[in-house]
Each structure stands twice: as structure tokens, then as C-alpha cells.
Amino acid sequence: MANVMIVDRQSDFIRNMERTLLSEGHTLSIAGSVTECLDRCRFRPCDLVILEDRLAAECHNSVASFRRLAPAPEVVVVTGRGDPLLGEISLLEGALNYLEKQNAPAAIRSLLTRLGQNSVLSGNGAGTAARFGIVGESARIISCYNLIMRSRASDVSVLLEGETGTGKELFAKAIHKLSPRVDGQLVTVDCASLPETLVESLLFGYSRGAFTGADGNRVGLVKRADGGTLFLDEVGELPLSVQKKFLRVLQERRFRPVGGGNEISSDFRLIAATNRNLQEMVDQGLFRSDLLYRLRTLKITLPPLRDRGEDVVLIAGHVIKEQCRRAGIPCKRLSGEFLEKLRGYHWPGNVRELVNMVESAFAMAWDDEVLHTEHLPPQLHARLVRSYYSSRGLAQGDNSCGMSPAAQAVTVQVPVRPVAEPAVSADRPPADVSGCSGGHGCNETSLQHSPASFEEFEAMGSLRDARRLVTERFERDYLRALRAATGHDVKKACAVSGLSRARLYELYRKHGILG
């Protein structure tokens, strides 16, 4: 039986839940606030938290706070009036469901039955995730892992989205190993490295005489995945000419080798991964919409490392432990200064960049028991130092309001069109769109603090990194001003910005504006 805690102040709903849960043999506790419930869960582990959405909104990242506990309870958010924004935030923070109170008792009773039958859903997933090399305890990464745990018995296609280096291949391997197809092969296809002239023959194979040099039959990668899993990495790079043919393969699980007369079949599960926005590619005519629908039956968006909090420290410690184990030496430690610099860096290369950085420091600290920042190669050390002091706003002559390294070089100030019905009171000061105190005009785009030497440019990062960071700065300032100018009215904000409601919420979450 489950230990359940309700965070609500509505007596009628609490009585209904008491009748439902106590009759099933579950234990029930009542808390009047998120803080009170968190304190109780730390003292006595809880299996399920039923959280009223208005009380959840009073505490920043309330659902995520519960999911960070060890062991972590599952969370269901209930509502009396229904708020689409609160519902979306709750689910993205890791809640299992967002329910209307009138439907909640029956739905939660059914949920507890399923949790009892499938105990792997309860508790913190960090321990089981580590079996597959997925290191971390942040709510966002555990939420992603719990998604694949819940769907492990199904055969649906999975689309893994996320920036380069966020661990999409690790998740693909975990999905395969957790599935009923574990005894079959996991066949990985790097779509970005497939030569366009050979992509069909590599995927589907070819028959003897299909082209010059085809001296025999060759089995393609799709057939090799028969009985197992086909992993299309960087699927956004798949040529349009092949996308149509591959769509038929997904629908029929049959295809014809290049130059072949007879069709052959392949029974595989598909996992695709991309660091690109496939919906934008569809809008630009670069990716087929019907193929995208097939790929994203289950979509999992992996968070960037900069949004995973203390996972940076956990991953660094894991890397050092593994390096020492392989070298057969006592485990080294990481100095406080080293860890502080890791926390202050923005990690454009995500987990992959962190692993490479720590491995480099390990190699330089071979005879030392403790890793210090001096053990980092100068280029890497320079990036860490620049990012650390920039994030604290302590750089000498700083006029950038704590921007990240590359973003310091450019200040973008954003004009916002007035809305038809202003919702800003007369005594409210105008929104500071730029985020800086300089007296520049609203339409100015300028390069400030220009790096004067090669070393400074190198520390700032690549042009691609700089452009991305400046774009993020622009988006954040624009959205903050937009939300202030429209009085937090989502409908007006969509009309002014030209964004859909879903896209606006996505950008609000990305830049932490909703909190």
C-alpha cells in the first residue's frame, strides 16, 4: 500500500480523497503548503504527492523540488479551475498528470494500482539510470529517464531531441536495453556522415550488378536491425530524397534493395535523435511532416547541462572515478575552486565537453591527489575563468550585466511594438529591454569590448557559440519586455510576437521567465 500526501486546503476534496484512499488501504497525510509537505517527505518518505495547482504556483519549481528528493515521490497536480499554463509547467517539471478535482479520486486510485504493480516507477530513477551511464539526479534528467522506463514494454518510435553532447546516444542505448528487443542488435546510423550518393545502398543494401563495383549482394543497415533497434542519429541530416522512401519502410516494414527485384522485410524498433528543430525544418521544406509524425510517437527532450544544476559536479566526479579505476590508481579529488569554476561555466558542448575537460585535467594531474584549475589546458582554463567572472558580473570594466563570455561582446537592444490595448499601468516604469544601463538607442546593435588579441577571441569561443549566446540574450530580453508590455496576457503576447501559444510557452520556459 502507498503512503500518500495531499497539499490542499479545500476540505471537500480532501474528504473525497480520504474516502477513496483509506478504503483501499493507503495511508494519507495532509499538508497546507509545499514547504510543509517537503519537510515531511524528508522525514518520512512518500510514494505519491497530490498537489493543488495554486499552492504549487506559490513555490518556485515545486514539482521539481519533490522529484529531487531521495527517494523521490511521484507527483500528481490537481486543479479546481483548470489553468493551461500551470498544467504545462507541472508536467514539464515531472508531474505524472494534471487532473480536474472532480475526476481525481478515480484516476489516482487507478494510478496507485499501477504503481503497486510496477514498483520501478516509484522512487528516484538516478540509481537505475546510472546502470546505463546516465549520471545525474536533477529533476529534468530523471524525468526523461522515467519516460523511457514507463514506455519500455512498448514498441513505439522514439525521437530524442537535445543539443549536441546532451547524451542522446546513451539514452538510445538505454531504451534498447530496457526493451523486449534487448537480444537483438542496436544498429546505429550516423545520418550526418552518410554520403548522399550512397545513402540508399547503405540503408537498404544492394543486389549484385546494381551499379559499378557491386560484385555481390550486400545487406543494408535496416535489415541488420531486424529483430532489434535501428537508431538514426542526426536524423535531420537525412536527404529529402531518402525521407520519402524511409517513410514507406516505417509504414510497411518492407523495402527493396538497390537494384533488387524482390522486397524484403525487417522488424525493427526505431529511435531517432536530432539537435535540430525538425518542426522548423518542416516549415522550411527541409523535412517531411509525415515522417516527423512517425518519428515522434514518443518525444523526449534532453536538457542542456547548464540547466541540470549540481549534475555538473556529479558527472565530473564520475569521470574522475572512472579514469582512476582504469589507471589502477587511488581515486583523486576535485578542489573546491575547480568545482566552483565548473558550476560557473555555461557548457555549450554539454556533457561531452565536460567529460573532455575533466579528462584533460586528469592527464595533467597524474602525480597529484587533487585536481586544481591549474591542471586544465590554458585554453580551457581561460574559458572557465571568463565564464565564471562574467556570470558573477565581476569582470573588470564590466558593462554587460553578467552576460556569458561570447554574449559580452555584443549588446542587442530590442524594440517592441505597442499593443492595441496596453495593460501596463501609468506608474509602472518602462521595461528595460536591453537588460543594461547604458544609454544606447533602441535600435542599436553594437560590438562592445571587442577582443583585441587572438587569445581573447579564442577564450570567447567560436563564432557559432557567440551567435547562439547572443541570440539567446536577444530572445530573453525580448520576451521579458513582451510579457511586461502585455501585462502577462498570453493572447496579446502571441498576437504581438507572431508566435503560437505552445512556442511562446516553450521560450518562456527556456529562459526561466515563468518562474
Side-chain angles (χ1 to χ4, degrees), residues 4 8 19 26 48 66 68 91 170 241 245 248 262 268 275 287 347 364 403 413-414 449-450 497:
V4 182
D8 202 341
R19 285 195 295 267
H26 304 295
L48 176 68
F66 285 108
R68 281 193 289 266
L91 293 172
L170 279 178
S241 58
K245 296 181 179 180
R248 182 175 180 272
N262 298 321
F268 61 90
N275 62 2
F287 202 86
W347 300 111
M364 297 297 293
M403 285 186 281
Q413 298 184 330
V414 190
H449 312 300
S450 300
S497 65

Side-chain angles (χ1 to χ4, degrees), residues 11-21 101 105:
S11 57
D12 290 345
F13 175 71
I14 292 174
R15 284 196 297 269
N16 287 338
M17 291 306 306
E18 285 178 337
R19 285 195 295 267
T20 299
L21 299 181
K101 287 186 176 180

Side-chain angles (χ1 to χ4, degrees), residues 176 180-186 225-229:
H176 173 69
R181 295 176 176 269
V182 63
D183 293 329
Q185 277 190 291
L186 172 64
D226 191 12
T229 304

Side-chain angles (χ1 to χ4, degrees), residues 416-487:
V416 178
R417 299 195 310 271
V419 294
E421 300 177 19
V424 184
S425 61
D427 59 349
R428 179 183 297 176
D432 179 6
V433 180
S434 70
C436 297
S437 58
H440 302 289
C442 287
N443 293 317
E444 178 180 348
T445 301
S446 60
L447 183 67
Q448 299 178 337
H449 312 300
S450 300
S453 67
F454 172 77
E455 289 76 13
E456 287 182 286
F457 260 113
E458 192 172 41
M460 189 174 72
S462 68
L463 174 62
R464 180 179 178 183
D465 289 342
R467 182 186 295 115
R468 178 180 61 79
L469 291 167
V470 172
T471 299
E472 289 183 355
R473 173 75 177 180
F474 177 94
E475 283 183 355
R476 183 172 64 252
D477 291 341
Y478 178 92
L479 292 166
R480 284 174 176 168
L482 176 69
R483 197 161 189 248
T486 57

